[in-house]
Amino acid sequence: MVKIMGNEAKLALEDGTVLKGEAFGYETVTVGELAFSTGMSGYTEALTDPSFKGQILMSTYPLEGNYGVSEDWYQSDKVQVEGFVVREACKKLSNFGTKKTLDDFLKEFKVPGIEDIDTRDLTLKIREKGSLKAALATEEIDDDELVARAQEHKSIVDLDLVPLVSTPEVKTFGDFDKTVAIIDCGVKKNIINCFLENGVGVALFPYNTDYQTILDYGVNGLMVSPGPGNPERLTDTIANVEKLINKFPVFGICMGQHVIAKAFGATTYKMKFGHRGANQPVKDLQSGKVFITSQNHGFAIDPDSLKGTDLELTQINLNDGTPEGFAHKELPLRTIQYHPESGPGPNDTRDLFEEFGKLIKEY
């Protein structure tokens, strides 16, 4: 393929819409589900978040790249998104501590970007119509062919994305008396760091690790991590978690909440456009407190499907009433839908790692 003259780029949607802008990042054609995020900062963390695998990320904030990119902010070892859509990509850095531009960053990991897009208008379109499959081109391609690629791409409901981001082998972090097993559906580095900061070592297991292997490792607690895509696809993970939930303290974040809830017989559904950003209000039903949280998910649990189980709803989203947390009536088990590790986002709920660490040490 030949690069479009004048650095033109195109974004095509499955409904036939074709938007033209300016290319940055890598020269290629990519497909994915177009998802918007409302975060005002943290683009490096978002782009490297494994939960965005399979999606073309669009920022509602109008300027991205102004403070550059640092490897210290990576949440995984590479860019995970399929493409990046922005209103404006800043060309000059305004941070003495970074040397890499957003353009350099995307080129390094062979990910395309498009700017000069009316992202707020496109966000309103998604909010009205729901999530849309999209194709992004920074190389020459016919409009009709680009639209066809978007239309022919599999729905994220039917994709197996977790195997693409999970660790291929067991990895350990920290040298402490107590260790938590993390089933890696797409863990973020900040989650691992939060456990280490609270004196708990981490044993990271592939998403489909047999439950007996985890028991034989001699861990003191279990956490099921966040991750991308449809929880219905993780049948092996759900089956193994079902056998582990009564062995030691258990904690689930985002995809982890879905997996654990499904181990109790719950059902999940795809949301119209999901929750992605760092400003989602969550109310704790027991204390009445409201926390501002960072979130990144496109599926939710049907609360009615948990009636008759031993899980109780503990937190809700104040924007749409969707479940944000569950706890077991008897077992030391709780789950949350949001990201307490931040990266990016507020630290309102970071103490959950301290609480779970104490539970592991005392259990």
Side-chain angles (χ1 to χ4, degrees):
M1 285 185 173
V2 179
K3 186 176 180 181
I4 297 173
M5 295 300 294
N7 296 321
E8 187 179 77
K10 300 176 184 178
L11 178 68
L13 309 180
E14 62 176 299
D15 67 358
T17 302
V18 178
L19 303 173
K20 295 183 179 181
E22 294 293 315
F24 68 100
Y26 194 67
E27 300 170 25
T28 188
V29 178
T30 189
V31 291
E33 180 183 81
L34 184 63
F36 68 85
S37 175
T38 59
M40 296 177 67
S41 62
Y43 51 82
T44 303
E45 294 91 333
L47 292 170
T48 56
D49 182 351
S51 290
F52 273 122
K53 189 66 180 175
Q55 293 175 320
I56 296 174
L57 175 61
M58 177 174 64
S59 174
T60 61
Y61 191 69
L63 178 67
E64 298 290 10
N66 56 309
Y67 55 86
V69 174
S70 170
E71 293 185 9
D72 293 338
W73 306 328
Y74 288 15
Q75 292 305 307
S76 65
D77 58 2
K78 63 179 180 180
V79 174
Q80 299 287 354
V81 303
E82 308 304 324
F84 196 26
V85 181
V86 301
R87 179 67 182 88
E88 181 182 351
C90 189
K91 310 301 188 298
K92 295 182 179 180
L93 305 182
S94 301
N95 185 339
F96 73 92
T98 58
K99 298 180 180 179
K100 189 183 301 183
T101 66
L102 179 58
D103 182 51
D104 294 334
F105 183 45
L106 294 187
K107 285 177 178 174
E108 179 183 353
F109 293 103
K110 300 182 178 181
V111 174
I114 182 172
E115 64 172 324
D116 200 21
I117 296 294
D118 189 342
T119 52
R120 297 193 176 187
D121 182 65
L122 193 49
T123 297
L124 291 174
K125 184 186 187 77
I126 293 173
R127 285 180 60 88
E128 179 182 342
K129 292 190 174 183
S131 299
L132 293 167
K133 295 182 294 182
L136 195 167
T138 50
E139 291 182 333
E140 184 69 52
I141 186 172
D142 181 76
D143 288 5
D144 291 340
E145 181 182 347
L146 195 61
V147 170
R149 290 201 187 189
Q151 293 172 340
E152 294 166 2
H153 183 58
K154 276 188 176 182
S155 167
I156 209 161
V157 173
D158 301 318
L159 293 174
D160 292 313
L161 297 172
V162 167
L164 303 179
V165 297
S166 179
T167 179
E169 59 188 9
V170 180
K171 297 179 181 179
T172 58
F173 303 84
D175 184 17
F176 300 100
D177 291 337
K178 301 296 182 179
T179 300
V180 61
I182 297 182
I183 295 180
D184 182 16
C185 298
V187 72
K188 292 168 63 179
K189 287 184 178 180
N190 265 24
I191 290 176
I192 295 173
N193 291 339
C194 284
F195 279 114
L196 299 181
E197 290 169 4
N198 285 284
V200 177
V202 170
L204 191 66
F205 292 88
Y207 76 99
N208 57 353
T209 302
D210 180 75
Y211 76 97
Q212 192 61 52
T213 300
I214 296 176
L215 287 175
D216 292 344
Y217 210 85
V219 297
N220 309 101
L222 174 70
M223 199 206 86
V224 187
S225 85
N230 183 2
E232 297 276 355
R233 311 290 294 186
L234 298 180
T235 53
D236 289 344
T237 310
I238 295 165
N240 285 314
V241 167
E242 188 175 359
K243 295 180 175 66
L244 292 169
I245 49 182
N246 63 347
K247 303 298 183 183
F248 25 57
V250 177
F251 188 31
I253 298 177
C254 202
M255 174 67 83
Q257 169 162 283
H258 297 156
V259 168
I260 292 170
K262 289 187 72 62
F264 282 93
T267 58
T268 55
Y269 64 93
K270 191 176 188 304
M271 304 171 75
K272 186 175 181 180
F273 48 80
H275 296 159
R276 298 179 183 89
N279 57 354
Q280 291 284 331
V282 170
K283 180 178 181 179
D284 185 88
L285 298 179
Q286 183 175 10
S287 67
K289 291 182 178 180
V290 176
F291 305 97
I292 303 303
T293 67
S294 179
Q295 300 199 16
N296 179 8
H297 64 103
F299 291 80
I301 297 166
D302 178 0
D304 291 336
S305 67
L306 281 173
K307 291 179 179 177
T309 74
D310 288 324
L311 289 183
E312 292 182 320
L313 182 66
T314 57
Q315 297 178 330
I316 60 169
N317 188 293
L318 287 180
N319 285 337
D320 58 14
T322 52
E324 291 285 355
F326 295 95
H328 196 277
K329 295 177 181 178
E330 298 178 0
L331 298 174
L333 178 154
R334 74 172 298 178
T335 68
I336 53 174
Q337 189 63 67
Y338 47 91
H339 289 256
E341 78 285 350
S342 60
N347 297 321
D348 289 29
T349 55
R350 206 177 178 106
D351 59 351
L352 290 176
F353 288 100
E354 180 181 0
E355 294 174 11
F356 189 61
K358 289 180 179 179
L359 187 61
I360 290 175
K361 295 170 184 177
E362 297 170 357
Y363 188 70

